[in-house]
Amino acid sequence: MKQFDANLLFALDALLETGSVTEAAEQTGVSVPTMSRTLTRIRKLIGDPIMVQAGRGLVATPQALEMRARLRAFVQEGRELTQLASPSLLDTARTISIRADESFISAFAAPIMDAVHLVAPRLALRFISHGEESVGPLREGVVDFDIGDIKLSGPEVKLQKLFAAQFVGVVRSDHPLASSKITPKRYVQYAHISASRRGLARGPIDAALEELGLKRTVSLSVPTFSSALTIAAGSDLVAAVPEHLTGIALKIYGAFVFPLPVRTPSVRIALAWHPRFDRDAVHRFVRDTVAKVCSPASLKQGSKHS
């Protein structure tokens, strides 16, 4: 019977997450030679190469990828037990994965990281782009949090509202729209840029304009709000982006930001996680930190300094 050492599974989790013996060693606090020897032990235990050379890096074998979701769940459970015994965050080395759209990442990744490191300097945050929402990755710990306009519901999802995202208009600083009051009629006189992952050119703005008997011309569609903001700041096009990108629009691009001349519904931005991680000390700390950074009071304070 092969000798079982739970530490090998923690090491394997780090190897699969980083794809590097050096980075896995750094993450787990051991030397590179030690991690290399550990990988050899893992290979012998499982009977599979686990990680193979591909160019300058390592890639996981099909068997390792098949194990990954269950392995991550096991590791998370082990960490929960460890945190119950030793809840100190100062020395906790761990990576938290957050799935969010690019506008949230652009506006909040840095301040959330700064706030986390004030208390837990060895925690790392890994933001990944939004894909298809599902409970599975949250349950298995592959993704720790979902942030956005969450549609998931049911007993396997916990939700905490962060803020309501309003939309604002953005044009370059010397755009003709910036010269006087922006009315719906003036708003539709210029070409627009639409931000949609699915390439849609119509949305709530168009519905609101139609109620006034007006129609805008969407000349360009792009997949992200950040790209729409960048293009609008350097062209004649008019963009509409979430209000939390206002600071970037002003500080980086020096753009002109204005309230939309029509009323559109706000989007509820929420934080989602699986209830099995409710008592995890690191999870709880990151949840509280995200909620604080994204609170309406913090957003209002941040806009004053933009």
Side-chain angles (χ1 to χ4, degrees):
M1 184 175 180
K2 296 178 180 179
Q3 184 178 0
F4 174 74
D5 181 353
N7 288 322
L8 296 181
L9 299 184
F10 284 87
L12 177 56
D13 181 65
L15 285 164
L16 292 176
E17 181 178 330
T18 63
S20 164
V21 171
T22 301
E23 292 181 22
E26 182 178 344
Q27 186 180 112
T28 55
V30 301
S31 67
V32 174
T34 297
M35 181 56 69
S36 182
R37 290 193 296 269
T38 300
L39 177 56
T40 299
R41 291 180 60 196
I42 292 170
R43 286 167 169 163
K44 291 180 180 178
L45 176 68
I46 297 175
D48 185 83
I50 299 299
M51 308 287 290
V52 295
Q53 198 72 35
R56 296 184 178 181
L58 296 174
V59 295
T61 64
Q63 182 172 341
L65 291 175
E66 188 177 343
M67 295 171 55
R68 186 171 185 179
R70 293 180 63 186
L71 173 65
R72 176 57 62 88
F74 173 87
V75 170
Q76 292 284 16
E77 187 70 27
R79 283 173 175 159
E80 286 182 34
L81 294 173
T82 303
Q83 289 298 327
L84 290 174
S86 178
S88 173
L89 293 168
L90 184 63
D91 299 319
T92 299
R94 182 168 161 186
T95 299
I96 297 293
S97 296
I98 302 173
R99 186 165 55 185
D101 70 29
E102 48 79 35
S103 67
F104 184 92
I105 295 170
S106 297
F108 295 109
I112 289 173
M113 186 75 270
D114 289 343
V116 164
H117 275 183
L118 287 175
V119 178
R122 298 186 66 193
L123 279 188
L125 299 185
R126 181 180 64 163
F127 281 90
I128 56 179
S129 59
H130 255 305
E132 186 175 341
E133 288 184 359
S134 63
V135 175
L138 291 173
R139 181 197 304 121
E140 295 156 3
V142 176
V143 174
D144 292 285
F145 302 108
D146 256 327
I147 298 179
D149 182 18
I150 307 297
K151 305 300 185 185
L152 296 174
S153 61
E156 287 198 88
V157 178
K158 298 291 287 286
L159 286 174
Q160 180 176 356
K161 181 180 177 181
L162 297 178
F163 59 90
Q166 306 287 341
F167 280 77
V168 295
V170 178
V171 293
R172 57 181 168 81
S173 59
D174 57 347
H175 193 283
L177 267 180
S179 62
S180 60
K181 182 180 178 180
I182 300 173
T183 63
K185 288 186 177 180
R186 288 193 69 226
Y187 183 69
V188 300
Q189 288 176 359
Y190 301 92
H192 290 247
I193 178 171
S194 171
S196 168
R197 285 187 299 164
R198 294 178 291 170
L200 301 179
R202 286 180 50 82
I205 293 175
D206 302 280
L209 288 169
E210 283 182 357
E211 291 183 4
L212 301 176
L214 297 172
K215 182 179 180 180
R216 64 174 182 163
T217 300
V218 177
S219 300
L220 180 65
S221 295
V222 294
T224 68
F225 289 113
S226 295
S227 55
L229 176 57
T230 301
I231 294 169
S235 71
D236 292 331
L237 295 171
V238 182
V241 302
E243 191 174 18
H244 49 265
L245 287 178
T246 298
I248 295 174
L250 296 173
K251 292 178 182 178
I252 298 180
Y253 297 105
F256 179 75
V257 180
F258 58 92
L260 293 176
V262 291
R263 185 182 297 275
T264 58
S266 60
V267 178
R268 186 190 71 161
I269 303 301
L271 175 70
W273 68 96
H274 196 276
R276 69 186 293 262
F277 298 110
D278 266 351
R279 297 183 61 191
D280 182 292
V282 174
H283 240 253
R284 197 163 54 241
F285 163 67
V286 175
R287 291 199 303 265
D288 292 345
T289 302
V290 170
K292 183 176 180 180
V293 170
C294 299
S295 69
S298 295
L299 294 177
K300 185 176 181 180
Q301 187 67 26
S303 66
K304 290 181 179 179
H305 298 294
S306 298

